[in-house]
Amino acid sequence: MDAKDILGLPKTPLSVPPEKKSQPKKDSQRKPDGISREVYALTGGLAPLMPSIDSSYLKKRPPSDEKITWQWLPFTNSARKDTLQLYHWVRVVNGVPPTGDYSFAKYNKSIEVTKYTDEEYAQHLTDPSWTKQETDQLFDLCEQFDLRFVIIADRFPSSRTMEELKDRYYSVCRSILLARASSPADVSGHPLVKENYNASQEKERKRALSMVLSQTKQQEKKDAEVLAEAKKIAESRMAAKGVEESVMPATENEFPETTIDHNTLVSLSNVRLAPVAAPPSTLVIADTSSTLASLRMLPVYLRTYALEQMVQQASSSAGLRTIKRVEQTLQDLGINLKPRVPTKAVCAEHLELRKEILTLLNLQKQLQYKEAEGSSLREGTTYSEMPGTPKRQVRDHDRTFIPDAMSFGGERGGRKDPKRKGPGRVSETPSSPANKRPRKMKASDL
Amino acid sequence: MTNSSSPKKNEQDQPETSGPVLKSLKTKLSKPEDAEKKILSKKFKDVEISVPIVYGNIAFWLGKKANEYQSHKWTVYVRGATNEDTRRVIKKVVFQLHSSFNNPTRVVESPPFELSEQGWGEFEIAITLHFHSDVCEKPLSLYHQLKLYPEDESTSLSIKKPVVVESYDEIVFPEPSESFLARVQNHPAVNVPRLPVGLTFPTPVEDPSERKRGDTKDHPLSQWFTNFSEADELLQLAAARQQVQTHIAKLRRQITVIEGQQQQLKPSSDQ
């Protein structure tokens, strides 16, 4: 907007009034007072977390009755142990130099390391693995290096691990605390008393941490997959609890179990299903009951939410591209992706329509496959020109078709396209559940 | 898809003919208070109650009286889809407005469940429906994007014609309690399916709080309400399904033909 101003171009007449109002309102309801509009826009429309300088402060002028001079004066620092005197510029008001300590002296903080006497050592602090000399050395170093155990461990004369040093230090402090306390109750709140340092636990923790850090990418991937599987198994157990017994008819043996995460299916491997399009629908029926069951568990829900869940579950066997094609088909038919009047009947019809469209798309793919095989058989060559686009669309999930296609002649037939998965990859089930997760989430935004 | 169709009952067998359920319960249990509690907590698995609602906003431009911070007067509301009174289901509605409003959490405890304000900004309003305790313990949230300006930017703003955005939805209670069912069984705002045989309820006593009318049939803004009818949508869907089914049949035929052809070719192809 301002750029156009500078360039002298006319602003677009229509969009200015509603735009001005509709854009800033997304960021904030109010213009701030005190900061100009441009600066506000620079910060992304959000107020700064802390006010940097109060704008009124900038406008203030020093009171005219005061006379300010700057003088080069000596000063001492109470944090220093010697009496070194340095010089610096000082703001002098009306001839009176400022009083008080050097302003940075207060930052000279140090850790208080407990000190023990020899008698105390003899009484409470003797330890078989530590000599007094070593313990004294340890405490010296602690004092010198402000309890920075990394340095202390490095400087310690005999080679002791950091955990050992820490253990010794904290147990000595604890014993001293307990010994000096007038009653146990006094110090029971002290962190050392409440939770003692546990050397073995620390060792374990550090080892585990370094293991996690040093994991290779491959290991990370494997871990993620295992976790995803575990989560799915847990979820399927939950779903199975709410579902009634449903003995569903077979799926073919070679039919890759792409939906193992839903119901437990009783598979009668004798039954062979001729139309490959049927298995998706039988699985879909099985899953519907689990979604319905989970909906019935809710005390209340909205019809639109229920429809979303059912649509998601129905599309769970389909890849993202297929889902997009379903939506495109719906739009071509003039149907809203989300029904305008979602009554029970309308939602049921909508769901059925979506399922039928899925069937339709599957059949279309199947037909293309058949035609492709047909042409390769007829020509008798090892490969023929395959339509490129459909293959890429199928890549997502339809491994169901590959076994069928492969069983006909020419297993090298036409799969020169490097993107296509070869026969050996058909049973790549480990990756498919992992792939399912992101797709499932995207399917929900209709 | 459903399991045994009997609702969750006590051990006692229900008589086939109508004796009201309440009476048989009372004879079994010694304490009447226990019976009351049992009635309230008894839920029916296969009776799904749905309450059709419409929620949205109507916004009027203030025209000459508009200033930078108050350009529109708008009302956000939840009403029964047929403009019937929903207070037997909904106890109160909480509208969560943008934080720049004073007291952005507005609670409306009696119908009509609506809220009017003046402002200039469009933002998302969280509408939380709280139900009576025997209806549902948990509240249900809806989200509505307040709309003040017409979709078509070229339409000039008019004082007389407001911007109306309404959404239809249905609140579904899959396992309603008996007392809820009793209270709404014949109420026009609520869809109750046919009850299983032998299940009847006495007509509920009139609630004194209902003396003031809570429906929105004669609401001042009712002329702008949208009439949501499922008939059009059903027709559209049926037509679409018909198209798709024809297409599917055609494809199936084509596939069978090709398979037949390939069967013939198979013996002649060499490996």
Side-chain angles (χ1 to χ4, degrees), chain B residues 5 7-8 20 76 78 146 157 164 173:
Chain B
S5 49
K8 274 193 267 186
V76 64
V78 182
L146 182 70
L157 303 172
V164 181
F173 301 97

Side-chain angles (χ1 to χ4, degrees), chain A residues 14-15 17-18 20-22 24-31 244 274-275 277 288-289 292 295-306 329-330 333-336 338-350 352-353 356-357 359-361 363-364 366-367 369-375 377-378 407-411, chain B residues 1-3 45-46 48 50 53 55 61 67-69 71 98 100-101 120-123 129 131 135-142 145 148-149 153-154 167-175 226-231 233-234 236-238 240-245 247-249 251-252 254-255 258-259 261-263 265-266 269 271:
Chain A
L14 293 169
S15 49
K20 221 164 52 164
K21 293 206 171 143
S22 53
K25 74 182 61 115
K26 286 208 182 92
D27 300 327
S28 66
Q29 270 272 21
R30 267 179 210 305
K31 243 178 18 187
E244 326 55 83
T288 313
S289 46
L292 279 175
L295 282 173
R296 251 183 269 149
M297 296 292 213
L298 297 170
V300 65
Y301 57 85
L302 284 172
R303 186 78 68 195
T304 46
Y305 169 79
T329 318
L330 279 170
L333 290 163
I335 304 288
N336 300 320
K338 286 193 181 177
R340 201 174 149 259
V341 189
T343 64
K344 190 164 183 171
V346 168
C347 288
E349 284 286 303
H350 187 97
E352 289 308 307
L353 179 61
E356 282 167 5
I357 294 177
T359 315
L360 177 68
L361 294 176
L363 281 176
Q364 277 178 340
Q366 205 186 358
L367 185 62
Y369 260 111
K370 298 276 181 195
E371 285 175 341
E373 281 148 28
S375 61
L377 279 177
R378 260 177 264 122
S407 60
F408 290 106
E411 86 283 1
Chain B
M1 127 176 125
T2 52
N3 53 1
K45 253 197 208 168
D46 299 316
E48 180 188 274
S50 67
I53 52 160
Y55 61 96
W61 183 51
N67 62 46
E68 201 179 332
Y69 293 118
S71 61
H98 191 274
S100 60
F101 281 89
W120 60 270
E122 297 181 340
F123 53 89
L129 309 176
F131 306 103
V135 174
C136 180
E137 299 282 323
K138 295 186 100 189
L140 184 65
S141 295
L142 311 161
Q145 184 70 16
L148 305 179
Y149 294 95
E153 284 186 1
S154 61
S167 310
Y168 175 98
D169 211 328
E170 295 187 346
I171 313 174
V172 182
F173 301 97
E175 267 186 43
T226 327
N227 190 9
F228 289 91
S229 130
E230 62 171 356
E233 201 130 17
L234 280 176
Q236 270 190 320
L237 285 169
R241 282 188 72 185
Q242 190 65 13
Q243 267 195 308
V244 172
Q245 280 160 5
H247 208 30
I248 289 178
L251 285 176
R252 288 214 164 113
Q254 285 182 309
I255 291 177
I258 291 191
E259 277 180 340
Q261 290 174 345
Q262 283 173 345
Q263 284 286 54
L265 286 172
K266 223 171 122 177
S269 73
Q271 285 289 48

Side-chain angles (χ1 to χ4, degrees), chain B:
Chain B
M1 127 176 125
T2 52
N3 53 1
S4 60
S5 49
S6 58
K8 274 193 267 186
K9 291 190 206 288
N10 324 352
E11 302 75 272
Q12 193 183 36
D13 280 332
Q14 295 292 339
E16 279 291 10
T17 47
S18 53
V21 173
L22 303 169
K23 201 159 73 170
S24 48
L25 275 175
K26 276 205 173 129
T27 50
K28 173 164 184 173
L29 301 160
S30 45
K31 292 184 200 156
E33 307 92 69
D34 265 4
E36 284 290 312
K37 276 192 216 143
K38 274 231 150 77
I39 290 168
L40 287 173
S41 61
K42 202 159 116 178
K43 289 183 185 262
F44 292 92
K45 253 197 208 168
D46 299 316
V47 182
E48 180 188 274
I49 290 188
S50 67
V51 185
I53 52 160
V54 172
Y55 61 96
N57 76 272
I58 295 183
F60 285 91
W61 183 51
L62 292 174
K64 273 187 281 187
K65 295 185 198 154
N67 62 46
E68 201 179 332
Y69 293 118
Q70 304 199 324
S71 61
H72 286 72
K73 179 172 174 358
W74 50 265
T75 309
V76 64
Y77 55 86
V78 182
R79 62 176 174 92
T82 47
N83 289 317
E84 295 289 347
D85 185 2
T86 51
R87 77 177 125 199
R88 281 196 187 180
V89 181
I90 302 175
K91 184 168 77 174
K92 67 177 183 191
V93 178
V94 179
F95 295 93
Q96 185 68 31
L97 303 178
H98 191 274
S99 45
S100 60
F101 281 89
N102 280 333
N103 304 323
T105 313
R106 306 280 171 97
V107 183
V108 182
E109 303 208 344
S110 66
F113 297 109
E114 67 183 24
L115 178 67
S116 296
E117 260 292 348
Q118 296 197 345
W120 60 270
E122 297 181 340
F123 53 89
E124 187 181 74
I125 303 180
I127 306 174
T128 313
L129 309 176
H130 292 258
F131 306 103
H132 294 287
S133 47
D134 63 345
V135 174
C136 180
E137 299 282 323
K138 295 186 100 189
L140 184 65
S141 295
L142 311 161
Y143 299 93
H144 174 74
Q145 184 70 16
L146 182 70
K147 196 145 171 49
L148 305 179
Y149 294 95
E151 193 65 50
D152 184 8
E153 284 186 1
S154 61
T155 338
S156 54
L157 303 172
S158 117
I159 305 184
K160 298 222 178 82
K161 198 155 172 264
V163 170
V164 181
V165 178
E166 288 190 316
S167 310
Y168 175 98
D169 211 328
E170 295 187 346
I171 313 174
V172 182
F173 301 97
E175 267 186 43
S177 69
E178 183 166 347
S179 70
F180 177 35
L181 201 49
R183 193 165 67 238
V184 296
Q185 56 165 330
N186 283 320
H187 197 274
V190 179
N191 293 337
V192 181
R194 257 240 286 262
L195 298 175
V197 180
L199 209 58
T200 53
F201 299 97
T203 19
V205 179
E206 172 162 314
D207 194 350
S209 74
E210 285 189 356
R211 235 168 264 147
K212 197 180 90 165
R213 64 189 290 193
D215 63 289
T216 43
K217 289 192 196 139
D218 286 332
H219 195 276
L221 295 171
S222 62
Q223 58 173 307
W224 306 111
F225 289 168
T226 327
N227 190 9
F228 289 91
S229 130
E230 62 171 356
D232 291 330
E233 201 130 17
L234 280 176
L235 275 172
Q236 270 190 320
L237 285 169
R241 282 188 72 185
Q242 190 65 13
Q243 267 195 308
V244 172
Q245 280 160 5
T246 328
H247 208 30
I248 289 178
K250 190 174 87 177
L251 285 176
R252 288 214 164 113
R253 278 199 298 272
Q254 285 182 309
I255 291 177
T256 335
V257 165
I258 291 191
E259 277 180 340
Q261 290 174 345
Q262 283 173 345
Q263 284 286 54
Q264 290 172 353
L265 286 172
K266 223 171 122 177
S268 62
S269 73
D270 21 273
Q271 285 289 48

Side-chain angles (χ1 to χ4, degrees), chain A residues 116-395:
Chain A
Y116 50 83
T117 63
D118 289 339
E119 297 93 40
E120 281 181 320
Y121 187 90
Q123 263 193 333
H124 311 281
L125 306 174
T126 49
D127 187 287
S129 51
W130 282 82
T131 65
K132 181 162 195 305
Q133 192 198 21
E134 273 197 312
T135 316
D136 288 344
Q137 273 179 333
L138 171 63
F139 271 73
D140 276 338
L141 284 174
C142 286
E143 168 121 20
Q144 194 183 7
F145 290 115
D146 295 327
L147 283 190
R148 291 169 206 222
F149 280 99
V150 185
I151 307 174
I152 295 168
D154 186 57
R155 296 263 172 146
F156 201 72
S158 56
S159 59
R160 293 255 191 188
T161 66
M162 192 159 63
E163 284 79 34
E164 280 178 33
L165 296 173
K166 275 192 181 177
D167 195 18
R168 180 62 179 152
Y169 175 77
Y170 289 124
S171 51
V172 163
C173 288
R174 192 163 188 264
S175 318
I176 298 254
L177 256 179
L178 286 169
R180 289 187 189 163
S182 44
S183 81
D186 281 350
V187 283
S188 57
H190 195 279
L192 261 181
V193 175
K194 266 205 294 199
E195 291 141 41
N196 200 5
Y197 180 76
N198 188 338
S200 53
Q201 194 186 40
E202 283 293 295
K203 275 208 196 90
E204 258 312 298
R205 181 184 66 86
K206 287 179 187 173
R207 191 184 65 83
L209 192 60
S210 66
M211 254 182 49
V212 171
L213 277 173
S214 57
Q215 254 190 355
T216 62
K217 264 221 152 107
Q218 211 185 16
Q219 272 179 313
E220 262 183 47
K221 269 192 229 163
K222 277 196 196 148
D223 280 347
E225 278 174 28
V226 168
L227 282 172
E229 283 282 351
K231 193 175 167 205
K232 267 188 303 192
I233 293 172
E235 274 178 15
S236 74
R237 288 212 191 112
M238 294 272 292
K241 273 187 206 158
V243 169
E244 326 55 83
E245 307 286 350
S246 51
V247 179
M248 295 310 302
T251 56
E252 282 188 7
N253 271 343
E254 334 119 36
F255 184 76
E257 282 264 88
T258 49
T259 50
I260 42 173
D261 49 340
H262 288 282
N263 267 335
T264 44
L265 297 174
V266 178
S267 60
L268 312 163
S269 42
N270 304 334
V271 179
R272 210 182 133 75
L273 293 168
V276 187
S281 62
T282 54
L283 283 175
V284 160
I285 297 168
D287 296 332
T288 313
S289 46
S290 75
T291 319
L292 279 175
S294 62
L295 282 173
R296 251 183 269 149
M297 296 292 213
L298 297 170
V300 65
Y301 57 85
L302 284 172
R303 186 78 68 195
T304 46
Y305 169 79
L307 181 62
E308 257 174 50
Q309 295 294 306
M310 303 288 278
V311 168
Q312 209 178 355
Q313 172 267 309
S315 326
S316 59
S317 61
L320 183 57
R321 286 211 185 86
T322 320
I323 295 168
K324 288 266 184 282
R325 285 176 69 198
V326 170
E327 293 181 354
Q328 184 60 48
T329 318
L330 279 170
Q331 283 177 330
D332 294 339
L333 290 163
I335 304 288
N336 300 320
L337 291 179
K338 286 193 181 177
R340 201 174 149 259
V341 189
T343 64
K344 190 164 183 171
V346 168
C347 288
E349 284 286 303
H350 187 97
L351 192 61
E352 289 308 307
L353 179 61
R354 276 187 184 250
K355 288 182 191 168
E356 282 167 5
I357 294 177
L358 262 178
T359 315
L360 177 68
L361 294 176
N362 285 338
L363 281 176
Q364 277 178 340
K365 270 177 218 160
Q366 205 186 358
L367 185 62
Q368 275 167 350
Y369 260 111
K370 298 276 181 195
E371 285 175 341
E373 281 148 28
S375 61
S376 78
L377 279 177
R378 260 177 264 122
E379 286 170 34
T381 53
T382 47
Y383 64 89
S384 55
E385 322 92 73
M386 297 290 184
T389 351
K391 267 202 282 197
R392 246 171 249 120
Q393 284 170 336
V394 169
R395 173 173 54 106

